[in-house]
Amino acid sequence: MKVLVTGGAGYIGSIVVEQLIQAGETVVVFDNLYQGHRAAVHPAATFVVGSLADRSAVDDLLNEHRPQAIMHFASHTLVGESMENPFRYLGENVTNGLNLLQSAVQHGVRRFILSSTANLFDEPARMPIDEAETIVPGSPYGESKYILERMLYWLDRTHDFRYAALRYFNAAGASAERGEDHHPETHLIPIVLSVALGKRDKVIIFGDDYPTRDGTCVRDYIHVIDLAQAHILALRALNRGSRVYNLGNGQGFTVKEVIQTAREISGHPIPAEIGLRRPGDPDVLIASSDRIRGELGWEPQHADLRDIIESAWKWHQAHPHGYEE
Ligand code: UDP
């Protein structure tokens, strides 16, 4: 199958591209290199640099490459930034997605996978969070993803569009060749590992007064390769109908547990200091992935936090300056 991957030069997108190619698919990457890196794009993929804001560029892309399916990763993805600059999310994330969907319908592409988010669940009634949970977006970022989910819902009903919305919890880890390299970096595991590499003095723990076992926030870290496999399974299942899945390991770890595990793996003391809470952080986010396990047979292969951090540590050691060497 020929798959168009928007954001295929970014962290998750580039690893999904790698796994798609290993699974024998043909891949076209479309990325504006805003957060992505040319060096992250698998050499066997066709790479087109461009912006989803440019509708005619998207039309040209689909005309020329005629993909059978689209995986849409290209997006602004930071909760905090979206609280400061909501229009970047409610504007760009939404209109870029709309451009892509309109062009897809026009060009007869009716298979679509959306990167969605755990930020749809700001007030979960139950933990772990399953797909029956009430949607309460936690920020303009989460709202922008929810708007795209709703567009997909209606395209399914009006245009025989088949989609999967995959709601990621905390993607982490690396493949042998590709890893996480954001500017600026805001995510816990790469920040902790940059301390171990001597690039930062310490990590600030954003609050230790949450109602959790050690006072720090609990998150469900899912290995990016397991996440990639879920995309491939979802792609192959689209013929059988549209679907929405929560994706995590079903296990939560605190910020302090992540830091301690990184100390054990790296052998570095990784100094940590308690700071203020980060606005918008829920205390606990853990996914129930029973639905995708049951329906598609998805089974995480790297569910252990140690495996996840070890893979990231190997990649960061091999690429101490990220993709910029
Ligand atoms: N966190 C932290 N210090 C940092 C970065 C993150 O204490 O420098 C915490 C953050 O408050 C959250 C957890 O680590 O509880 C995971 O944050 P991250 O930004 O990696 O992912 P998020 O859960 O926001 O998607």
Side-chain angles (χ1 to χ4, degrees), residues 170 186-189 191 203-206 217 219 221 255 278 281:
N170 288 62
T186 63
H187 294 105
L188 178 64
I189 291 176
I191 285 178
V203 53
I204 309 289
I205 296 174
F206 297 148
C217 289
R219 292 289 178 275
Y221 296 91
V255 174
R278 184 171 68 177
D281 271 340

Side-chain angles (χ1 to χ4, degrees), residues 19-318:
Q19 300 290 312
L20 280 168
I21 286 169
Q22 283 176 21
E25 310 295 356
T26 303
V27 179
V28 179
V29 168
F30 189 67
D31 197 298
N32 64 0
L33 297 176
Y34 173 70
Q35 276 286 346
H37 308 274
R38 190 177 288 276
V41 179
H42 194 289
T46 302
F47 183 29
V48 180
V49 179
S51 169
L52 292 170
D54 181 351
R55 172 68 201 273
S56 66
V58 179
D59 286 340
D60 290 347
L61 177 77
L62 294 191
N63 252 332
E64 184 178 343
H65 295 283
R66 301 265 154 209
Q68 288 143 302
I70 297 174
M71 293 193 181
H72 179 42
F73 297 89
S75 176
H76 298 291
T77 59
L78 299 176
V79 169
E81 181 188 61
S82 81
M83 297 296 280
E84 281 158 27
N85 189 351
F87 291 116
R88 176 169 280 176
Y89 289 75
L90 298 170
E92 288 174 39
N93 274 6
V94 172
T95 54
N96 291 352
L98 185 62
N99 277 342
L100 181 62
L101 287 171
Q102 284 183 310
S103 190
V105 166
Q106 194 177 315
H107 290 85
V109 187
R110 289 193 167 75
R111 301 280 176 273
F112 197 94
I113 296 189
L114 174 70
S115 298
S116 190
T117 174
N119 195 246
L120 299 190
F121 308 113
D122 203 39
E123 291 171 13
R126 290 173 311 277
M127 200 62 67
I129 301 171
D130 66 22
E131 292 81 359
E133 183 56 63
T134 308
I135 307 264
V136 181
S139 68
Y141 165 60
E143 191 75 47
S144 73
K145 292 291 185 176
Y146 189 48
I147 293 169
L148 293 180
E149 286 199 12
R150 296 305 299 165
M151 288 186 197
L152 290 168
Y153 170 84
W154 285 108
L155 291 180
D156 176 296
R157 296 188 58 174
T158 58
H159 284 77
D160 282 337
F161 214 79
R162 297 293 172 255
Y163 72 93
L166 303 181
R167 297 160 173 172
Y168 315 152
F169 282 60
N170 288 62
S175 72
E177 292 177 6
R178 292 175 181 80
E180 192 167 4
D181 180 15
H182 295 113
H183 297 279
E185 190 54 77
T186 63
H187 294 105
L188 178 64
I189 291 176
I191 285 178
V192 166
L193 296 179
S194 74
V195 180
L197 279 174
K199 292 169 64 189
R200 291 174 199 250
D201 296 340
K202 61 186 175 207
V203 53
I204 309 289
I205 296 174
F206 297 148
D208 69 347
D209 56 352
Y210 287 94
T212 61
R213 53 187 174 264
D214 63 18
T216 65
C217 289
V218 171
R219 292 289 178 275
D220 181 335
Y221 296 91
I222 171 171
H223 197 296
V224 63
I225 290 181
D226 287 328
L227 203 58
Q229 289 305 318
H231 287 75
I232 292 172
L233 290 172
L235 179 69
R236 302 211 163 127
L238 285 182
N239 285 340
R240 290 183 272 128
S242 296
R243 48 202 70 235
V244 171
Y245 293 124
N246 293 356
L247 270 176
N249 274 320
Q251 289 185 75
F253 296 95
T254 69
V255 174
K256 284 186 177 171
E257 287 164 356
V258 168
I259 297 170
Q260 186 52 33
T261 307
R263 287 181 180 133
E264 288 161 18
I265 288 167
S266 66
H268 189 284
I270 312 185
E273 196 176 290
I274 307 299
L276 295 174
R277 285 184 175 202
R278 184 171 68 177
D281 271 340
D283 47 3
V284 180
L285 279 178
I286 300 173
S288 162
S289 297
D290 289 352
R291 186 189 277 182
I292 187 168
R293 285 172 191 260
E295 290 184 7
L296 303 187
W298 177 74
E299 198 58 56
Q301 302 299 306
H302 312 275
D304 186 12
L305 180 66
R306 179 170 285 275
D307 270 11
I308 294 174
I309 298 180
E310 237 159 27
S311 72
W313 177 232
K314 274 193 197 134
W315 190 81
H316 285 285
Q317 280 181 299

